[in-house]
């Protein structure tokens, strides 16, 4: 009850921002209310900040995003998913692998960025944004400064691609399916991907979300792969020194498995985005005929409201001054990689769909 009382004022702020955005968008033909919601949140958050009394509620925006994604499963046609399944999986693996390799190559060979920072940038760009940055940082024990640089760079691109992608999609005359798959493959974080997809069209939003969730599921495998790489390239003395340091800082417990991977399969499970299971369950329940058309419509409306709250919070919590603190080298690395991968994958997706 105490927690509920603390979150209600912030939830009211999220709702107020979202409703105002819908009002503005309804007055301007062709203006998507989700984009307006984020812009309005950015404006309010950066001009006035978030008061302490509203912060607990505003910080629930990630929960609303996950809830919206889960409920959205009722609106996704399973037959389309099954038909495109192998192709989508191939595209996801190809995109993630290519992005990571291109970013790592640019960071190390061209711009001489510290290898750990390059790895964080590669994971954030290739898989799921800041969530991947944090997961990889945890698996390879990275300095907090490097995490901050990588996270700020990813957030900068989240903030820009959110608006740029729909503009490019409309300018190129992309179909909703092509745009949704392309956005899901090449944009970074789940929130901006969802917003950009639904800003383009309902169908594009569903495809973008489906592809992005498939991409997100690779975070655990990537974290373990990086952990193995960094553990095995460290010489014996440094390895023992790291173990001693970890024993001193965590009270002597050892969370690594025998191959140097933190927690092994447990770490893979811990890093996996659990809300994906909820999305799949709702998708199956709806497509197997257990829900009526009226119930599916109600769930679709519920997801719209959840996304409204999520994107209001996303805008409110995005700090433009923090984004400006990023050095130019990480930005150039990610920008070049994004241009290369996004261009290549757009050509492939158009050819396939």
């Amino acid at each position: 009850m105490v927690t509920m009382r603390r979150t209600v004022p912030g939830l009211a702020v999220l709702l107020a921002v979202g409703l105002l955005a819908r009002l503005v968008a309804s007055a301007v033909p062709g203006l998507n209310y989700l984009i307006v919601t984020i812009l309005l949140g950015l404006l309010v958050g950066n001009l006035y900040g978030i008061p302490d009394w509203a912060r607990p509620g505003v910080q629930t925006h990630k929960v609303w995003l996950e809830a919206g994604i889960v409920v959205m499963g009722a609106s996704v046609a399973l037959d389309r998913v099954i038909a495109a399944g192998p192709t989508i999986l191939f595209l996801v693996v190809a995109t993630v692998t290519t992005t990571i390799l291109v970013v790592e190559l640019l960071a190390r060979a061209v711009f001489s960025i510290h290898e750990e920072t390059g790895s964080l940038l590669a994971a954030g760009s290739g898989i799921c944004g800041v969530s991947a940055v944090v997961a990889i940082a945890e698996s390879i024990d990275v300095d907090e400064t490097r995490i901050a640089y990588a996270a700020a760079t990813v957030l900068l691109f989240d903030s820009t691609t959110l608006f740029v992608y729909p503009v490019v999609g409309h300018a190129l005359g992309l179909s909703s399916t092509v745009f949704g798959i392309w956005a899901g493959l090449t944009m970074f974080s789940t929130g901006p991907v969802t917003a950009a997809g639904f800003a383009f069209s309902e169908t594009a939003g569903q495809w973008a979300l489906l592809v992005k969730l498939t991409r997100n599921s690779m975070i655990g495998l990537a974290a373990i792969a990086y952990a193995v790489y960094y553990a095995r390239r460290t010489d014996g003395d440094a390895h023992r020194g790291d173990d001693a340091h970890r024993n001193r800082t965590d009270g002597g417990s050892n969370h690594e498995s025998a191959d140097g991977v933190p927690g092994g399969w447990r770490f893979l499970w811990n890093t996996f985005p659990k809300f994906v299971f909820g999305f799949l369950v709702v998708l199956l329940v709806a497509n197997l005929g257990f829900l009526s058309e009226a119930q599916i419509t109600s769930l679709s409306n519920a997801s719209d409201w959840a996304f409204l709250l999520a994107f209001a919070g996303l805008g409110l919590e995005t700090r433009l001054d923090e984004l400006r603190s990023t050095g130019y080298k990480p930005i150039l690395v990610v920008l070049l990689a994004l241009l290369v991968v996004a261009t290549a994958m757009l050509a492939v997706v158009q050819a396939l769909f």
Side-chain angles (χ1 to χ4, degrees):
M1 184 65 68
V2 175
T3 302
M4 178 63 70
R5 284 201 300 266
R6 293 183 64 227
T7 58
V8 166
L11 291 175
V13 171
L14 295 181
L15 185 60
V17 170
L19 290 176
L20 181 57
R22 294 195 76 147
L23 182 63
V24 172
S26 65
V28 182
L31 193 60
N32 184 267
Y33 74 93
L34 293 178
I35 300 294
V36 179
T37 301
I38 295 175
L39 284 174
L40 188 58
L42 275 170
L43 182 65
V44 173
N46 284 273
L47 287 181
Y48 304 104
I50 304 173
D52 291 338
W53 53 265
R55 192 169 298 279
V58 170
Q59 289 176 339
T60 64
H61 70 89
K62 294 180 181 178
V63 176
W64 292 111
L65 176 63
E66 294 179 357
I69 290 172
V70 169
V71 177
M72 175 54 65
S75 304
V76 177
L78 186 59
D79 55 344
R80 290 191 305 176
V81 176
I82 294 174
T87 304
I88 293 298
L89 183 59
F90 168 76
L91 289 173
V92 166
V93 173
T95 304
V96 170
T97 303
T98 302
T99 302
I100 289 176
L101 291 177
V102 171
V103 173
E104 289 279 11
L105 178 63
L106 289 172
R108 300 184 189 210
V110 179
F111 291 94
S112 300
I113 292 177
H114 190 280
E115 60 182 359
E116 290 179 346
T117 303
S119 295
L120 298 183
L121 292 172
S125 305
I127 307 173
C128 54
V130 174
S131 298
V133 170
V134 174
I136 301 305
E138 182 181 344
S139 71
I140 63 178
D141 195 17
V142 177
D143 182 82
E144 289 185 0
T145 303
R146 306 192 194 286
I147 300 175
Y149 272 120
T153 302
V154 168
L155 288 173
L156 176 63
F157 280 90
D158 281 341
S159 302
T160 53
T161 55
L162 166 64
F163 305 108
V164 171
Y165 263 63
V167 172
V168 172
H170 285 298
L172 295 177
L174 302 181
S175 69
S176 293
T177 299
V178 168
F179 179 83
I181 294 173
W182 179 54
L185 286 172
T186 57
M187 289 178 67
F188 297 167
S189 299
T190 305
V193 170
T194 307
F198 283 105
F200 194 86
S201 74
E202 183 76 16
T203 300
Q206 292 180 8
W207 275 112
L209 187 55
L210 182 67
V211 174
K212 190 66 180 69
L213 292 182
T214 305
R215 217 168 120 209
N216 289 356
S217 66
M218 299 186 69
I219 185 173
L221 293 174
I224 288 180
Y226 268 114
V228 170
Y229 169 77
Y230 277 96
R232 291 184 176 177
R233 65 182 297 279
T234 305
D235 60 67
D237 290 338
H239 206 20
R240 285 192 295 271
D242 288 342
D243 289 342
H245 172 70
R246 291 191 183 93
N247 286 337
R248 288 194 300 270
T249 55
D250 64 13
S253 62
N254 187 354
H255 300 290
E256 291 191 354
S257 61
D259 60 359
V261 179
W265 288 107
R266 183 176 62 183
F267 183 78
L268 178 62
W269 170 252
N270 290 339
T271 56
F272 187 86
K274 309 298 189 302
F275 65 89
V276 172
F277 291 122
F279 171 83
L280 293 175
V281 169
V282 174
L283 184 150
L284 288 173
V285 168
N287 281 272
L288 290 175
F290 292 106
L291 299 178
S292 66
E293 287 296 325
Q295 290 172 324
I296 292 175
T297 300
S298 297
L299 288 175
S300 179
N301 291 333
S303 71
D304 289 342
W305 283 103
F307 286 145
L308 189 75
L309 298 176
F311 297 141
L314 176 65
L316 285 168
E317 287 209 319
T318 300
R319 289 289 172 269
L320 297 179
D321 54 347
E322 293 179 3
L323 301 182
R324 288 195 297 268
S325 65
T326 306
Y328 75 93
K329 284 187 176 182
I331 293 176
L332 286 178
V333 167
V334 175
L335 176 61
L336 290 174
L338 179 61
L339 290 174
V340 170
V341 176
T343 302
M345 294 314 301
L346 178 57
V348 172
V349 173
Q350 283 185 304
L352 292 175
F353 295 90

